[in-house]
Amino acid sequence: MAGTADQLPTRRPGGRTARVRAQILAATVELVARNGIAGFRYEEVAELAGVHKTSVYRNWADREELVVEALLQYVDDLGSVADTGDLRRDLVDFLMVLSEGLGRPTVRALEQATQATHESPAVRRAATRIFEERAAAMRRRIELAMARGELPPVDYSLFGEMISGPVHLIVNRGLRPFTRADAERIVDLVLAGVRATTPHT
Amino acid sequence: MAGTADQLPTRRPGGRTARVRAQILAATVELVARNGIAGFRYEEVAELAGVHKTSVYRNWADREELVVEALLQYVDDLGSVADTGDLRRDLVDFLMVLSEGLGRPTVRALEQATQATHESPAVRRAATRIFEERAAAMRRRIELAMARGELPPVDYSLFGEMISGPVHLIVNRGLRPFTRADAERIVDLVLAGVRATTPHT
């Protein structure tokens, strides 16, 4: 039984040490998601993980390494862009995975770590790298769509920001649920806008 | 000389008391913007404001009241939507004011206070009310545009989220500067998308 992306690797070889490490990483993610990195202390991590404080220090002498390793576990929760051959469906599916991810503390912590005002350059670099990998998957999907004539030439970065920006805003505010109908309206509007504003050659 | 929205009311009638209150409010905004509300302590506010801790307690026995009053000073920094008769220009101008605002600690603090995960319901309600007022200004501008035939019938909420979502994402990530060209491309794409996807009657 291999672990899925949503499970912590509590049973990997290594026994008790590995289990303690996994508990510490899970506690770190929870605290960072709750209070940000500025508000997180080793004492709290140890308490929440149910381990001695020395276990935290012994495994991660450096705060930033602890945070980075904790966040990197959740890369897969960010979702990627599939290729079923149907661009609209693939983008709508991606927005749904993104909206569910943004509702989870793990992904929220990753998201917060990418903020320009983030106090730790090392943590921000690690989090940004994760989002860049996701952006690269979007870029490959858009390139395929352009090669197939589904889409005129577009600016990948802005295209990605146009479809995912509203999702971030809606989910983060939390004033209304994000639905599949929202995802479809966003994708349809952006696709129609791209087609209407790009001169066909 | 009336104070502008960007100045603290340091000279309003009341002399020393008013000045102390203004210093405390400014310090609170700075700390909330830096560490979030969970990380902010009265001792730090007093130190940053250069006042005695008792001055903070005497004026605001309640933490949340202090935060709400501090944030409410900056409502005007959020920008509103003008009506010059040129919808595209008004929306582009609005996105530029928004992008500049999101780069300031005051507006960032307001923004963070609206997050669904925010720990204080009272603070979140106050911050959300501010953003709702701004959304109402957008709604009035869109209604005017529809009445003038500049725009087909649209969903106000989604329209606002579609144009401001990408701005939040770009400015918060801080990976590249937000330019007027970005604002123009976002507005043009959304306007074209709305016109292409709304059936004309």
Side-chain angles (χ1 to χ4, degrees), chain A residues 138-201:
Chain A
M138 169 69 80
R139 180 184 176 131
R140 286 189 294 273
R141 183 64 189 87
I142 297 302
E143 278 174 339
L144 270 176
M146 288 179 357
R148 289 175 192 148
E150 286 184 284
L151 207 59
V154 292
D155 174 327
Y156 307 108
S157 301
L158 190 69
F159 185 89
E161 289 152 0
M162 293 283 312
I163 68 164
S164 61
V167 182
H168 282 84
L169 195 63
I170 294 169
V171 176
N172 288 346
R173 293 263 166 92
L175 297 180
R176 58 185 180 91
F178 185 84
T179 64
R180 192 162 186 95
D182 287 315
E184 287 171 348
R185 284 157 72 201
I186 291 168
V187 169
D188 286 342
L189 196 141
V190 172
L191 288 179
V194 163
R195 286 169 183 145
T197 55
T198 312
H200 291 267
T201 48

Side-chain angles (χ1 to χ4, degrees), chain B residues 90-150:
Chain B
D90 292 344
L91 294 175
V92 169
D93 285 344
F94 166 69
L95 292 191
M96 292 312 293
V97 173
L98 175 64
S99 71
E100 286 152 23
L102 289 172
R104 283 203 288 272
T106 49
V107 178
R108 229 174 242 287
L110 268 178
E111 170 76 14
Q112 283 171 3
T114 63
Q115 303 288 294
T117 47
H118 199 283
E119 64 270 26
S120 161
V123 172
R124 190 174 167 224
R125 265 195 304 276
T128 300
R129 190 164 9 103
I130 294 170
F131 279 92
E132 278 167 358
E133 274 173 39
R134 198 186 55 178
M138 169 70 80
R139 179 182 178 131
R140 286 189 296 273
R141 183 63 189 87
I142 297 301
E143 279 174 338
L144 271 177
M146 288 179 357
R148 289 175 192 148
E150 285 185 285

Side-chain angles (χ1 to χ4, degrees), chain B residues 25-92:
Chain B
L25 292 175
T28 302
V29 168
E30 195 174 325
L31 287 170
V32 169
R34 208 189 286 165
N35 300 330
I37 290 168
F40 124 84
R41 290 179 303 116
Y42 271 35
E43 289 79 1
E44 293 173 295
V45 171
E47 196 185 319
L48 192 61
V51 303
H52 286 291
K53 205 173 77 175
T54 46
S55 296
V56 187
Y57 283 110
R58 202 186 312 123
N59 283 285
W60 291 276
D62 185 278
R63 252 176 95 81
E64 291 180 355
E65 274 173 25
L66 171 55
V67 173
V68 169
E69 195 170 337
L71 296 184
L72 281 173
Q73 299 179 100
Y74 295 91
V75 180
D76 294 341
D77 287 13
L78 279 170
S80 63
V81 191
D83 174 28
T84 66
D86 177 346
L87 179 65
R88 176 181 189 264
R89 187 172 124 191
D90 292 344
L91 294 175
V92 169

